[in-house]
């Protein structure tokens, strides 16, 4: 019997060009949590974004945020992997301009080039930044340079687009975070299922028994998952035998 359902957010629960959850997704989360089945969202997004998206089911959902760097349940941190202050200081000194993601705040050291991102707070230096930074981001810096420099500081690239890169501690990924949630709530491998579409979802597939790739997923995700999924809401409800 399944006791845990883990879902990626973007491309899985939240489809392309959607900026809010569909009503059928919210209804599904309500139905499965009413039956004491744990629902987990595992995302590269920060907690501030996820709180906004899942406001209707906030107390029902476990949030694995920042690609596994921090997990939150009922507004309390249940797992945290912060980047140490000395590493942040070296990064800020070397690159000058960096975004810093905490649980409840996002900071920007240097000119805030992308102010729409998480309503980041511009600060002059690291002394103005609160404790508990889980992820850092860069805009407009060569990803090869970032990889070369930051890998030596114990960081790994968790996300990359054309001009944007994000880094977390190299021990962090969604799979490790899922295992931590399962251990905390005493859920076994045989009682778990997960759904995803991207490369950063692959570690989750190693930690859950039932694995589903969403239609249109990256080839690596489709190849690793046991099953393919066209309709995530229908698939989850059928899997759990919920009408």
């Amino acid at each position: 019997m399944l006791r845990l359902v883990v879902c990626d957010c973007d491309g899985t629960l939240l489809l392309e060009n959607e900026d809010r959850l569909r009503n059928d997704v919210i209804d599904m989360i309500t139905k499965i949590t009413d039956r004491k089945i744990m629902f987990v969202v595992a995302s590269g997004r920060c907690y501030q974004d996820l709180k906004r998206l899942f406001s209707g089911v906030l107390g029902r959902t476990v949030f694995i945020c920042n690609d596994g760097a921090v997990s939150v349940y009922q507004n309390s941190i249940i797992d945290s992997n912060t980047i140490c202050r000395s590493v942040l200081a070296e990064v800020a000194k070397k690159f000058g301009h960096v975004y810093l993601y905490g649980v409840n705040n996002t900071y920007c050291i240097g000119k805030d080039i992308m102010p729409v991102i998480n309503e980041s707070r511009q600060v002059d230096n690291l002394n103005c930044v609160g404790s508990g930074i889980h992820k850092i981001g860069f805009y407009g810096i060569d990803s090869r340079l970032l990889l070369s420099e930051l890998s030596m500081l114990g960081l790994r690239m968790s996300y990359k687009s054309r001009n944007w890169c994000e880094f977390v501690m190299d021990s962090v990924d969604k799979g490790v975070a899922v295992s931590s949630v399962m251990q905390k709530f005493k859920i076994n491998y045989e009682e778990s299922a997960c759904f995803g579409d991207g490369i950063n979802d692959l570690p989750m597939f190693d930690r859950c028994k039932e694995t589903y790739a969403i239609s249109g997923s990256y080839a690596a995700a489709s190849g690793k998952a046991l099953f393919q999924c066209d309709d995530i809401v229908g698939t989850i409800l059928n899997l759990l035998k919920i009408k």
Side-chain angles (χ1 to χ4, degrees):
M1 174 179 162
L2 288 178
R3 295 177 54 213
L4 175 77
V5 175
V6 184
C7 291
D8 169 53
C9 184
D10 293 271
T12 301
L13 291 173
L14 194 70
L15 302 181
E16 189 175 0
N17 298 321
E18 291 182 341
D19 60 0
R20 64 185 64 187
L21 290 181
R22 304 185 309 276
N23 288 336
D24 62 336
V25 174
I26 294 172
D27 291 344
M28 174 200 70
I29 296 171
T30 301
K31 286 179 179 179
I32 67 175
T33 53
D34 277 346
R35 288 160 174 78
K36 309 301 181 187
I37 298 166
M38 182 158 284
F39 185 78
V40 178
V41 175
S43 175
R45 290 181 181 245
C46 61
Y47 183 51
Q48 304 101 291
D49 279 352
L50 295 175
K51 276 202 302 185
R52 174 184 58 82
L53 281 170
F54 291 84
S55 58
V57 286
L58 199 59
R60 296 172 176 267
T61 307
V62 177
F63 297 99
I64 293 175
C65 319
N66 292 337
D67 280 308
V70 60
S71 299
V72 181
Y73 182 50
Q74 296 182 341
N75 216 35
S76 296
I77 296 174
I78 60 173
D79 188 36
S80 176
N81 297 272
T82 58
I83 301 173
C84 71
R85 208 75 173 177
S86 61
V87 169
L88 294 175
E90 189 164 347
V91 169
K93 181 180 179 181
K94 184 177 292 288
F95 294 101
H97 175 254
V98 58
Y99 289 84
L100 310 169
Y101 294 82
V103 173
N104 294 307
N105 294 288
T106 301
Y107 304 90
C108 175
I109 297 177
K111 184 178 179 182
D112 193 354
I113 301 172
M114 303 179 70
V116 296
I117 292 184
N118 306 315
E119 299 179 352
S120 55
R121 175 184 167 192
Q122 189 170 352
V123 297
D124 293 328
N125 54 61
L126 196 58
N127 293 329
C128 304
V129 174
S131 60
I133 298 302
H134 299 96
K135 182 174 71 172
I136 57 177
F138 302 87
Y139 182 81
I141 300 177
D142 190 319
S143 62
R144 292 167 297 183
L145 173 62
L146 290 169
L147 271 173
S148 172
E149 296 287 343
L150 299 185
S151 61
M152 294 188 292
L153 297 176
L155 301 174
R156 73 167 185 88
M157 185 182 292
S158 60
Y159 177 78
K160 177 183 178 296
S161 65
R162 183 176 179 182
N163 292 309
W164 183 258
C165 294
E166 295 175 349
F167 287 79
V168 295
M169 296 296 294
D170 60 10
S171 59
V172 165
D173 63 41
K174 287 185 180 182
V176 173
V178 167
S179 289
S180 178
V181 169
M182 291 168 69
Q183 182 177 10
K184 180 174 181 62
F185 293 99
K186 297 179 171 56
I187 296 170
N188 298 323
Y189 170 82
E190 292 78 11
E191 299 171 315
S192 62
C194 72
F195 294 75
D197 75 314
I199 294 172
N200 65 344
D201 298 322
L202 299 183
M204 298 196 306
F205 289 176
D206 291 325
R207 309 300 178 112
C208 296
K209 183 177 181 182
E210 304 280 344
T211 56
Y212 294 80
I214 306 302
S215 295
S217 296
Y218 282 88
S222 295
K224 192 172 186 65
L226 294 175
F227 307 102
Q228 307 301 304
C229 172
D230 292 317
D231 171 18
I232 186 169
V233 170
T235 300
I236 290 175
L237 293 178
N238 288 335
L239 184 64
L240 299 172
K241 298 179 172 60
I242 299 173
K243 294 183 179 180

